[in-house]
Amino acid sequence: FTAAPAYAAFAENHRGLLREGMAADLSIFDAELRPDRSLLERRAVATIVDGRVVHRDSAATLEAAGASFSCAP
């Protein structure tokens, strides 16, 4: 959820923002996503569901994707 849908679903107290203590669902890709055929070449570097890392590409680094964050295991 982003902020407006979280509010509409009465979930704004725990969803809708990337903030400590909030549930987070997001994916980090190896390059910027663009609305063209280059999208087919992108790889998911990491996927986070409900604040937990559920996928991490061992062949890529988050720093190479321009991301830096820490998550509790």
Side-chain angles (χ1 to χ4, degrees):
F1 283 131
T2 55
Y7 179 80
F10 303 101
E12 69 273 15
N13 291 326
H14 66 280
R15 294 194 178 278
L17 298 173
L18 289 177
R19 181 180 292 163
E20 186 175 348
M22 304 283 266
D25 296 344
L26 62 109
S27 295
I28 301 169
F29 291 88
D30 62 345
E32 182 179 347
L33 299 181
R34 298 181 184 271
D36 59 24
R37 295 203 47 86
S38 70
L39 181 65
L40 302 173
E41 299 170 7
R42 299 290 59 93
R43 286 191 354 228
V45 174
T47 303
I48 301 169
V49 177
D50 202 20
R52 298 169 125 172
V53 177
V54 296
H55 165 75
R56 189 167 188 164
D57 185 344
S58 60
T61 65
L62 296 176
E63 292 77 20
S68 63
F69 69 93
S70 61
C71 293

Short mmCIF file of all heavy atoms in Angstrom, two decimals:
data_model
loop_
_atom_site.label_atom_id
_atom_site.label_comp_id
_atom_site.label_asym_id
_atom_site.label_seq_id
_atom_site.Cartn_x
_atom_site.Cartn_y
_atom_site.Cartn_z
N PHE A 1 0.83 -1.19 0.00
CA PHE A 1 0.00 0.00 0.00
C PHE A 1 0.87 1.25 0.00
O PHE A 1 1.88 1.31 0.67
CB PHE A 1 -0.85 0.07 1.26
CG PHE A 1 -2.04 -0.82 1.31
CD1 PHE A 1 -2.27 -1.61 2.42
CD2 PHE A 1 -2.95 -0.85 0.27
CE1 PHE A 1 -3.39 -2.41 2.51
CE2 PHE A 1 -4.08 -1.64 0.35
CZ PHE A 1 -4.30 -2.43 1.47
N THR A 2 0.41 2.25 -0.70
CA THR A 2 0.95 3.59 -0.50
C THR A 2 0.00 4.29 0.48
O THR A 2 -0.99 3.71 0.91
CB THR A 2 1.07 4.36 -1.83
OG1 THR A 2 -0.20 4.38 -2.46
CG2 THR A 2 2.11 3.73 -2.74
N ALA A 3 0.28 5.52 0.82
CA ALA A 3 -0.46 6.19 1.89
C ALA A 3 -1.97 6.27 1.64
O ALA A 3 -2.77 5.97 2.54
CB ALA A 3 0.10 7.58 2.12
N ALA A 4 -2.40 6.67 0.46
CA ALA A 4 -3.84 6.84 0.20
C ALA A 4 -4.61 5.51 0.27
O ALA A 4 -5.63 5.43 0.96
CB ALA A 4 -4.07 7.53 -1.13
N PRO A 5 -4.14 4.43 -0.39
CA PRO A 5 -4.86 3.16 -0.25
C PRO A 5 -4.84 2.62 1.17
O PRO A 5 -5.81 2.01 1.62
CB PRO A 5 -4.14 2.22 -1.21
CG PRO A 5 -3.51 3.11 -2.22
CD PRO A 5 -3.14 4.35 -1.46
N ALA A 6 -3.74 2.82 1.90
CA ALA A 6 -3.69 2.37 3.30
C ALA A 6 -4.74 3.10 4.12
O ALA A 6 -5.43 2.49 4.95
CB ALA A 6 -2.29 2.59 3.88
N TYR A 7 -4.89 4.39 3.90
CA TYR A 7 -5.89 5.18 4.60
C TYR A 7 -7.30 4.68 4.26
O TYR A 7 -8.13 4.49 5.15
CB TYR A 7 -5.75 6.66 4.24
CG TYR A 7 -6.77 7.55 4.89
CD1 TYR A 7 -6.60 7.97 6.21
CD2 TYR A 7 -7.90 7.97 4.20
CE1 TYR A 7 -7.54 8.79 6.83
CE2 TYR A 7 -8.83 8.79 4.80
CZ TYR A 7 -8.66 9.19 6.11
OH TYR A 7 -9.58 10.00 6.72
N ALA A 8 -7.54 4.42 2.98
CA ALA A 8 -8.86 3.95 2.54
C ALA A 8 -9.20 2.59 3.13
O ALA A 8 -10.36 2.27 3.34
CB ALA A 8 -8.91 3.89 1.01
N ALA A 9 -8.17 1.78 3.41
CA ALA A 9 -8.38 0.45 3.98
C ALA A 9 -8.31 0.47 5.51
O ALA A 9 -8.27 -0.59 6.14
CB ALA A 9 -7.34 -0.51 3.42
N PHE A 10 -8.28 1.67 6.11
CA PHE A 10 -8.17 1.82 7.56
C PHE A 10 -6.92 1.13 8.10
O PHE A 10 -6.91 0.60 9.21
CB PHE A 10 -9.43 1.30 8.27
CG PHE A 10 -10.69 1.96 7.81
CD1 PHE A 10 -11.53 1.33 6.90
CD2 PHE A 10 -11.02 3.23 8.25
CE1 PHE A 10 -12.69 1.94 6.46
CE2 PHE A 10 -12.18 3.85 7.82
CZ PHE A 10 -13.02 3.21 6.92
N ALA A 11 -5.85 1.14 7.30
CA ALA A 11 -4.60 0.49 7.70
C ALA A 11 -3.44 1.49 7.80
O ALA A 11 -2.28 1.09 7.83
CB ALA A 11 -4.26 -0.61 6.68
N GLU A 12 -3.75 2.78 7.88
CA GLU A 12 -2.71 3.81 7.85
C GLU A 12 -1.80 3.78 9.08
O GLU A 12 -0.72 4.36 9.06
CB GLU A 12 -3.31 5.21 7.68
CG GLU A 12 -4.10 5.71 8.86
CD GLU A 12 -5.56 5.31 8.88
OE1 GLU A 12 -5.97 4.41 8.12
OE2 GLU A 12 -6.31 5.90 9.68
N ASN A 13 -2.19 3.10 10.14
CA ASN A 13 -1.34 3.03 11.33
C ASN A 13 -0.22 2.01 11.21
O ASN A 13 0.70 2.01 12.02
CB ASN A 13 -2.18 2.72 12.57
CG ASN A 13 -3.08 3.87 12.93
OD1 ASN A 13 -2.73 5.03 12.75
ND2 ASN A 13 -4.27 3.56 13.42
N HIS A 14 -0.30 1.11 10.21
CA HIS A 14 0.77 0.13 10.07
C HIS A 14 1.17 -0.14 8.62
O HIS A 14 2.04 -0.96 8.37
CB HIS A 14 0.38 -1.19 10.77
CG HIS A 14 -0.78 -1.90 10.16
ND1 HIS A 14 -2.08 -1.54 10.39
CD2 HIS A 14 -0.82 -2.95 9.31
CE1 HIS A 14 -2.88 -2.34 9.72
NE2 HIS A 14 -2.15 -3.19 9.06
N ARG A 15 0.59 0.56 7.65
CA ARG A 15 0.95 0.41 6.24
C ARG A 15 0.93 1.77 5.55
O ARG A 15 0.35 2.71 6.04
CB ARG A 15 -0.02 -0.51 5.51
CG ARG A 15 0.04 -1.94 5.98
CD ARG A 15 -0.68 -2.86 4.99
NE ARG A 15 -0.59 -4.22 5.41
CZ ARG A 15 0.45 -5.01 5.18
NH1 ARG A 15 1.47 -4.57 4.51
NH2 ARG A 15 0.47 -6.24 5.62
N GLY A 16 1.56 1.84 4.38
CA GLY A 16 1.45 3.03 3.55
C GLY A 16 2.66 3.93 3.52
O GLY A 16 2.77 4.79 2.66
N LEU A 17 3.59 3.75 4.45
CA LEU A 17 4.81 4.55 4.48
C LEU A 17 6.01 3.65 4.73
O LEU A 17 5.89 2.62 5.40
CB LEU A 17 4.75 5.58 5.62
CG LEU A 17 3.64 6.62 5.54
CD1 LEU A 17 3.62 7.45 6.83
CD2 LEU A 17 3.83 7.53 4.34
N LEU A 18 7.16 4.05 4.20
CA LEU A 18 8.40 3.34 4.52
C LEU A 18 8.97 4.02 5.76
O LEU A 18 9.64 5.04 5.69
CB LEU A 18 9.40 3.42 3.36
CG LEU A 18 9.03 2.61 2.14
CD1 LEU A 18 10.05 2.84 1.03
CD2 LEU A 18 8.93 1.14 2.48
N ARG A 19 8.65 3.45 6.89
CA ARG A 19 9.04 4.03 8.17
C ARG A 19 9.23 2.89 9.17
O ARG A 19 8.53 1.89 9.12
CB ARG A 19 7.95 4.97 8.66
CG ARG A 19 8.26 5.65 9.96
CD ARG A 19 7.16 6.56 10.40
NE ARG A 19 7.06 7.70 9.50
CZ ARG A 19 6.02 8.50 9.42
NH1 ARG A 19 4.96 8.29 10.17
NH2 ARG A 19 6.01 9.51 8.60
N GLU A 20 10.15 3.06 10.09
CA GLU A 20 10.39 2.05 11.11
C GLU A 20 9.09 1.73 11.84
O GLU A 20 8.32 2.62 12.20
CB GLU A 20 11.43 2.54 12.11
CG GLU A 20 11.82 1.49 13.12
CD GLU A 20 12.93 1.95 14.04
OE1 GLU A 20 13.56 2.98 13.76
OE2 GLU A 20 13.17 1.25 15.03
N GLY A 21 8.83 0.44 12.01
CA GLY A 21 7.63 0.00 12.71
C GLY A 21 6.44 -0.23 11.80
O GLY A 21 5.42 -0.77 12.24
N MET A 22 6.54 0.17 10.53
CA MET A 22 5.45 -0.03 9.58
C MET A 22 5.73 -1.30 8.77
O MET A 22 6.88 -1.65 8.53
CB MET A 22 5.35 1.16 8.62
CG MET A 22 5.17 2.49 9.30
SD MET A 22 3.51 2.76 9.89
CE MET A 22 2.80 3.62 8.54
N ALA A 23 4.66 -1.99 8.34
CA ALA A 23 4.81 -3.16 7.48
C ALA A 23 5.27 -2.67 6.11
O ALA A 23 4.81 -1.64 5.61
CB ALA A 23 3.47 -3.89 7.36
N ALA A 24 6.19 -3.39 5.50
CA ALA A 24 6.70 -2.99 4.19
C ALA A 24 6.69 -4.15 3.22
O ALA A 24 7.12 -5.24 3.55
CB ALA A 24 8.13 -2.45 4.33
N ASP A 25 6.18 -3.91 2.03
CA ASP A 25 6.25 -4.85 0.91
C ASP A 25 6.90 -4.08 -0.23
O ASP A 25 6.34 -3.07 -0.69
CB ASP A 25 4.87 -5.32 0.45
CG ASP A 25 4.11 -6.11 1.50
OD1 ASP A 25 4.73 -6.56 2.47
OD2 ASP A 25 2.90 -6.28 1.34
N LEU A 26 8.07 -4.52 -0.65
CA LEU A 26 8.74 -3.82 -1.75
C LEU A 26 9.74 -4.73 -2.42
O LEU A 26 10.15 -5.74 -1.86
CB LEU A 26 9.41 -2.54 -1.26
CG LEU A 26 10.51 -2.70 -0.22
CD1 LEU A 26 11.85 -2.41 -0.85
CD2 LEU A 26 10.25 -1.76 0.93
N SER A 27 10.12 -4.35 -3.62
CA SER A 27 11.15 -5.05 -4.37
C SER A 27 12.23 -4.06 -4.76
O SER A 27 11.95 -2.90 -5.04
CB SER A 27 10.57 -5.69 -5.63
OG SER A 27 9.65 -6.69 -5.30
N ILE A 28 13.47 -4.54 -4.78
CA ILE A 28 14.61 -3.73 -5.19
C ILE A 28 15.18 -4.38 -6.44
O ILE A 28 15.44 -5.59 -6.45
CB ILE A 28 15.68 -3.68 -4.08
CG1 ILE A 28 15.08 -3.10 -2.81
CG2 ILE A 28 16.90 -2.89 -4.54
CD1 ILE A 28 15.96 -3.25 -1.59
N PHE A 29 15.33 -3.59 -7.49
CA PHE A 29 15.81 -4.10 -8.76
C PHE A 29 17.23 -3.65 -9.04
O PHE A 29 17.72 -2.69 -8.44
CB PHE A 29 14.86 -3.66 -9.88
CG PHE A 29 13.52 -4.31 -9.79
CD1 PHE A 29 12.51 -3.75 -9.03
CD2 PHE A 29 13.28 -5.51 -10.42
CE1 PHE A 29 11.27 -4.35 -8.92
CE2 PHE A 29 12.05 -6.14 -10.32
CZ PHE A 29 11.05 -5.56 -9.56
N ASP A 30 17.89 -4.32 -9.99
CA ASP A 30 19.29 -4.03 -10.30
C ASP A 30 19.48 -2.74 -11.08
O ASP A 30 20.61 -2.28 -11.24
CB ASP A 30 19.93 -5.20 -11.03
CG ASP A 30 19.28 -5.51 -12.37
OD1 ASP A 30 18.16 -5.02 -12.64
OD2 ASP A 30 19.89 -6.26 -13.15
N ALA A 31 18.43 -2.13 -11.56
CA ALA A 31 18.51 -0.85 -12.27
C ALA A 31 17.13 -0.22 -12.25
O ALA A 31 16.14 -0.86 -11.90
CB ALA A 31 18.98 -1.06 -13.71
N GLU A 32 17.07 1.04 -12.63
CA GLU A 32 15.79 1.75 -12.67
C GLU A 32 14.82 1.06 -13.62
O GLU A 32 15.20 0.62 -14.70
CB GLU A 32 16.02 3.18 -13.14
CG GLU A 32 14.78 4.02 -13.17
CD GLU A 32 15.05 5.44 -13.61
OE1 GLU A 32 16.22 5.85 -13.65
OE2 GLU A 32 14.08 6.14 -13.90
N LEU A 33 13.57 0.94 -13.21
CA LEU A 33 12.55 0.35 -14.06
C LEU A 33 12.02 1.41 -15.02
O LEU A 33 11.67 2.51 -14.60
CB LEU A 33 11.40 -0.21 -13.22
CG LEU A 33 11.77 -1.30 -12.23
CD1 LEU A 33 10.53 -1.77 -11.48
CD2 LEU A 33 12.45 -2.47 -12.92
N ARG A 34 12.01 1.07 -16.29
CA ARG A 34 11.51 1.99 -17.33
C ARG A 34 10.41 1.29 -18.11
O ARG A 34 10.45 0.08 -18.26
CB ARG A 34 12.65 2.38 -18.27
CG ARG A 34 13.77 3.11 -17.58
CD ARG A 34 14.85 3.49 -18.58
NE ARG A 34 15.97 4.10 -17.92
CZ ARG A 34 16.08 5.40 -17.68
NH1 ARG A 34 15.11 6.21 -18.05
NH2 ARG A 34 17.13 5.88 -17.07
N PRO A 35 9.45 2.06 -18.63
CA PRO A 35 8.33 1.46 -19.35
C PRO A 35 8.69 1.13 -20.81
O PRO A 35 8.05 1.58 -21.75
CB PRO A 35 7.25 2.53 -19.27
CG PRO A 35 8.03 3.81 -19.23
CD PRO A 35 9.27 3.50 -18.43
N ASP A 36 9.74 0.33 -20.97
CA ASP A 36 10.12 -0.10 -22.32
C ASP A 36 10.64 -1.53 -22.23
O ASP A 36 10.55 -2.18 -21.19
CB ASP A 36 11.15 0.85 -22.94
CG ASP A 36 12.44 0.96 -22.12
OD1 ASP A 36 12.75 0.03 -21.34
OD2 ASP A 36 13.12 1.98 -22.24
N ARG A 37 11.21 -2.03 -23.29
CA ARG A 37 11.65 -3.43 -23.32
C ARG A 37 12.80 -3.72 -22.36
O ARG A 37 13.05 -4.88 -22.03
CB ARG A 37 12.02 -3.82 -24.75
CG ARG A 37 10.79 -3.79 -25.65
CD ARG A 37 10.86 -4.63 -26.88
NE ARG A 37 11.33 -5.98 -26.76
CZ ARG A 37 10.58 -7.04 -26.43
NH1 ARG A 37 9.31 -6.88 -26.14
NH2 ARG A 37 11.10 -8.25 -26.42
N SER A 38 13.50 -2.70 -21.89
CA SER A 38 14.58 -2.93 -20.93
C SER A 38 14.04 -3.53 -19.63
O SER A 38 14.78 -4.17 -18.89
CB SER A 38 15.35 -1.64 -20.64
OG SER A 38 14.57 -0.74 -19.90
N LEU A 39 12.76 -3.36 -19.38
CA LEU A 39 12.12 -3.94 -18.20
C LEU A 39 12.32 -5.45 -18.16
O LEU A 39 12.48 -6.05 -17.10
CB LEU A 39 10.64 -3.59 -18.19
CG LEU A 39 9.82 -4.09 -17.01
CD1 LEU A 39 10.29 -3.43 -15.73
CD2 LEU A 39 8.36 -3.80 -17.24
N LEU A 40 12.33 -6.08 -19.33
CA LEU A 40 12.49 -7.53 -19.41
C LEU A 40 13.87 -8.00 -18.97
O LEU A 40 14.07 -9.17 -18.67
CB LEU A 40 12.21 -8.01 -20.85
CG LEU A 40 10.83 -7.66 -21.39
CD1 LEU A 40 10.74 -8.02 -22.87
CD2 LEU A 40 9.76 -8.36 -20.59
N GLU A 41 14.84 -7.09 -18.93
CA GLU A 41 16.21 -7.44 -18.55
C GLU A 41 16.50 -7.20 -17.07
O GLU A 41 17.56 -7.56 -16.58
CB GLU A 41 17.19 -6.62 -19.39
CG GLU A 41 17.04 -6.89 -20.87
CD GLU A 41 17.84 -5.90 -21.71
OE1 GLU A 41 18.61 -5.10 -21.15
OE2 GLU A 41 17.67 -5.94 -22.94
N ARG A 42 15.59 -6.60 -16.32
CA ARG A 42 15.81 -6.28 -14.92
C ARG A 42 15.71 -7.53 -14.06
O ARG A 42 14.94 -8.45 -14.34
CB ARG A 42 14.79 -5.25 -14.42
CG ARG A 42 14.84 -3.92 -15.14
CD ARG A 42 16.07 -3.06 -14.88
NE ARG A 42 17.36 -3.58 -15.20
CZ ARG A 42 18.02 -3.40 -16.36
NH1 ARG A 42 17.49 -2.71 -17.33
NH2 ARG A 42 19.22 -3.89 -16.55
N ARG A 43 16.49 -7.55 -12.99
CA ARG A 43 16.46 -8.63 -12.01
C ARG A 43 16.09 -8.08 -10.65
O ARG A 43 16.54 -7.00 -10.28
CB ARG A 43 17.84 -9.29 -11.90
CG ARG A 43 18.19 -10.15 -13.05
CD ARG A 43 19.44 -11.00 -12.82
NE ARG A 43 20.16 -10.74 -11.60
CZ ARG A 43 21.47 -10.56 -11.53
NH1 ARG A 43 22.21 -10.59 -12.61
NH2 ARG A 43 22.05 -10.36 -10.37
N ALA A 44 15.33 -8.84 -9.93
CA ALA A 44 15.02 -8.46 -8.55
C ALA A 44 16.23 -8.79 -7.69
O ALA A 44 16.68 -9.93 -7.65
CB ALA A 44 13.80 -9.21 -8.05
N VAL A 45 16.78 -7.80 -7.03
CA VAL A 45 17.93 -7.98 -6.15
C VAL A 45 17.45 -8.45 -4.78
O VAL A 45 18.06 -9.30 -4.15
CB VAL A 45 18.73 -6.66 -6.03
CG1 VAL A 45 19.84 -6.78 -5.02
CG2 VAL A 45 19.27 -6.27 -7.39
N ALA A 46 16.31 -7.90 -4.34
CA ALA A 46 15.74 -8.31 -3.06
C ALA A 46 14.24 -8.04 -3.07
O ALA A 46 13.77 -7.13 -3.76
CB ALA A 46 16.39 -7.55 -1.91
N THR A 47 13.52 -8.85 -2.31
CA THR A 47 12.08 -8.65 -2.13
C THR A 47 11.80 -8.71 -0.64
O THR A 47 12.27 -9.60 0.06
CB THR A 47 11.27 -9.74 -2.86
OG1 THR A 47 11.62 -9.72 -4.25
CG2 THR A 47 9.78 -9.51 -2.72
N ILE A 48 11.05 -7.72 -0.17
CA ILE A 48 10.70 -7.62 1.24
C ILE A 48 9.18 -7.68 1.36
O ILE A 48 8.48 -6.95 0.66
CB ILE A 48 11.22 -6.30 1.83
CG1 ILE A 48 12.74 -6.23 1.67
CG2 ILE A 48 10.80 -6.14 3.28
CD1 ILE A 48 13.35 -4.89 1.98
N VAL A 49 8.70 -8.59 2.19
CA VAL A 49 7.26 -8.75 2.41
C VAL A 49 7.00 -8.62 3.90
O VAL A 49 7.61 -9.34 4.71
CB VAL A 49 6.75 -10.11 1.88
CG1 VAL A 49 5.28 -10.28 2.18
CG2 VAL A 49 7.01 -10.23 0.38
N ASP A 50 6.12 -7.70 4.25
CA ASP A 50 5.77 -7.45 5.64
C ASP A 50 7.01 -7.17 6.49
O ASP A 50 7.12 -7.59 7.63
CB ASP A 50 4.96 -8.61 6.22
CG ASP A 50 4.14 -8.21 7.43
OD1 ASP A 50 3.89 -6.99 7.61
OD2 ASP A 50 3.76 -9.09 8.21
N GLY A 51 7.97 -6.47 5.87
CA GLY A 51 9.18 -6.08 6.59
C GLY A 51 10.25 -7.13 6.68
O GLY A 51 11.30 -6.90 7.26
N ARG A 52 10.05 -8.30 6.07
CA ARG A 52 11.04 -9.38 6.11
C ARG A 52 11.61 -9.63 4.73
O ARG A 52 10.87 -9.67 3.75
CB ARG A 52 10.41 -10.67 6.59
CG ARG A 52 9.85 -10.59 7.98
CD ARG A 52 9.03 -11.79 8.22
NE ARG A 52 9.50 -12.46 9.41
CZ ARG A 52 8.85 -13.47 9.95
NH1 ARG A 52 7.77 -13.93 9.39
NH2 ARG A 52 9.30 -14.01 11.05
N VAL A 53 12.92 -9.80 4.65
CA VAL A 53 13.56 -10.12 3.37
C VAL A 53 13.20 -11.57 3.03
O VAL A 53 13.57 -12.49 3.77
CB VAL A 53 15.09 -9.94 3.44
CG1 VAL A 53 15.73 -10.34 2.13
CG2 VAL A 53 15.44 -8.50 3.80
N VAL A 54 12.45 -11.75 1.95
CA VAL A 54 12.04 -13.09 1.55
C VAL A 54 12.80 -13.58 0.32
O VAL A 54 12.76 -14.75 -0.02
CB VAL A 54 10.52 -13.19 1.29
CG1 VAL A 54 9.74 -12.91 2.57
CG2 VAL A 54 10.08 -12.25 0.18
N HIS A 55 13.50 -12.66 -0.35
CA HIS A 55 14.34 -13.03 -1.49
C HIS A 55 15.53 -12.10 -1.51
O HIS A 55 15.39 -10.89 -1.33
CB HIS A 55 13.58 -12.90 -2.81
CG HIS A 55 14.49 -12.91 -4.01
ND1 HIS A 55 15.09 -14.04 -4.47
CD2 HIS A 55 14.91 -11.90 -4.80
CE1 HIS A 55 15.85 -13.73 -5.52
NE2 HIS A 55 15.75 -12.44 -5.74
N ARG A 56 16.69 -12.66 -1.71
CA ARG A 56 17.90 -11.86 -1.88
C ARG A 56 18.77 -12.56 -2.91
O ARG A 56 19.13 -13.72 -2.73
CB ARG A 56 18.63 -11.73 -0.56
CG ARG A 56 19.76 -10.75 -0.63
CD ARG A 56 20.25 -10.41 0.75
NE ARG A 56 21.20 -9.33 0.64
CZ ARG A 56 21.58 -8.60 1.64
NH1 ARG A 56 21.09 -8.83 2.83
NH2 ARG A 56 22.45 -7.65 1.47
N ASP A 57 19.07 -11.88 -4.00
CA ASP A 57 19.87 -12.45 -5.08
C ASP A 57 21.32 -12.53 -4.63
O ASP A 57 21.96 -11.50 -4.40
CB ASP A 57 19.74 -11.57 -6.33
CG ASP A 57 20.43 -12.15 -7.54
OD1 ASP A 57 21.27 -13.07 -7.40
OD2 ASP A 57 20.13 -11.68 -8.65
N SER A 58 21.85 -13.73 -4.50
CA SER A 58 23.21 -13.89 -4.01
C SER A 58 24.24 -13.42 -5.02
O SER A 58 25.38 -13.14 -4.66
CB SER A 58 23.46 -15.36 -3.65
OG SER A 58 23.30 -16.18 -4.80
N ALA A 59 23.86 -13.30 -6.31
CA ALA A 59 24.81 -12.87 -7.34
C ALA A 59 24.91 -11.35 -7.41
O ALA A 59 25.80 -10.83 -8.07
CB ALA A 59 24.39 -13.43 -8.69
N ALA A 60 24.03 -10.64 -6.78
CA ALA A 60 24.03 -9.18 -6.84
C ALA A 60 24.18 -8.61 -5.45
O ALA A 60 23.93 -9.28 -4.45
CB ALA A 60 22.72 -8.69 -7.47
N THR A 61 24.58 -7.37 -5.39
CA THR A 61 24.66 -6.70 -4.10
C THR A 61 23.66 -5.56 -4.08
O THR A 61 23.39 -4.94 -5.11
CB THR A 61 26.06 -6.15 -3.81
OG1 THR A 61 26.35 -5.12 -4.76
CG2 THR A 61 27.12 -7.24 -3.87
N LEU A 62 23.12 -5.28 -2.93
CA LEU A 62 22.18 -4.17 -2.81
C LEU A 62 22.88 -2.84 -3.07
O LEU A 62 22.29 -1.92 -3.64
CB LEU A 62 21.53 -4.18 -1.43
CG LEU A 62 20.68 -5.40 -1.11
CD1 LEU A 62 20.19 -5.33 0.32
CD2 LEU A 62 19.52 -5.49 -2.07
N GLU A 63 24.14 -2.74 -2.69
CA GLU A 63 24.87 -1.50 -2.91
C GLU A 63 25.02 -1.23 -4.40
O GLU A 63 24.93 -0.09 -4.85
CB GLU A 63 26.24 -1.56 -2.23
CG GLU A 63 26.18 -1.57 -0.73
CD GLU A 63 25.78 -2.92 -0.12
OE1 GLU A 63 25.90 -3.95 -0.81
OE2 GLU A 63 25.31 -2.93 1.01
N ALA A 64 25.22 -2.28 -5.21
CA ALA A 64 25.34 -2.12 -6.66
C ALA A 64 24.03 -1.62 -7.26
O ALA A 64 24.02 -0.93 -8.27
CB ALA A 64 25.76 -3.42 -7.33
N ALA A 65 22.93 -1.94 -6.63
CA ALA A 65 21.61 -1.48 -7.11
C ALA A 65 21.30 -0.09 -6.60
O ALA A 65 20.23 0.44 -6.86
CB ALA A 65 20.53 -2.47 -6.68
N GLY A 66 22.21 0.50 -5.82
CA GLY A 66 21.97 1.84 -5.30
C GLY A 66 21.17 1.85 -4.04
O GLY A 66 20.62 2.87 -3.65
N ALA A 67 21.07 0.71 -3.36
CA ALA A 67 20.27 0.63 -2.16
C ALA A 67 21.16 0.35 -0.96
O ALA A 67 22.15 -0.33 -1.06
CB ALA A 67 19.24 -0.49 -2.29
N SER A 68 20.77 0.89 0.16
CA SER A 68 21.43 0.53 1.39
C SER A 68 20.37 0.54 2.49
O SER A 68 19.66 1.51 2.66
CB SER A 68 22.56 1.50 1.71
OG SER A 68 22.06 2.79 1.92
N PHE A 69 20.25 -0.58 3.15
CA PHE A 69 19.32 -0.68 4.25
C PHE A 69 19.74 -1.86 5.08
O PHE A 69 20.52 -2.69 4.66
CB PHE A 69 17.87 -0.84 3.79
CG PHE A 69 17.58 -2.16 3.14
CD1 PHE A 69 17.09 -3.22 3.89
CD2 PHE A 69 17.80 -2.35 1.80
CE1 PHE A 69 16.83 -4.44 3.30
CE2 PHE A 69 17.54 -3.58 1.20
CZ PHE A 69 17.05 -4.61 1.94
N SER A 70 19.23 -1.94 6.27
CA SER A 70 19.48 -3.11 7.10
C SER A 70 18.16 -3.65 7.59
O SER A 70 17.23 -2.89 7.85
CB SER A 70 20.38 -2.76 8.29
OG SER A 70 19.74 -1.78 9.09
N CYS A 71 18.07 -4.95 7.65
CA CYS A 71 16.87 -5.62 8.12
C CYS A 71 17.27 -6.67 9.13
O CYS A 71 18.27 -7.35 8.94
CB CYS A 71 16.12 -6.30 6.97
SG CYS A 71 15.42 -5.16 5.80
N ALA A 72 16.48 -6.81 10.14
CA ALA A 72 16.72 -7.89 11.09
C ALA A 72 16.40 -9.21 10.40
O ALA A 72 15.46 -9.28 9.64
CB ALA A 72 15.85 -7.71 12.32
N PRO A 73 17.20 -10.25 10.64
CA PRO A 73 16.95 -11.54 9.99
C PRO A 73 15.64 -12.17 10.41
O PRO A 73 15.07 -11.88 11.38
CB PRO A 73 18.12 -12.40 10.42
CG PRO A 73 18.80 -11.68 11.52
CD PRO A 73 18.34 -10.26 11.51
#
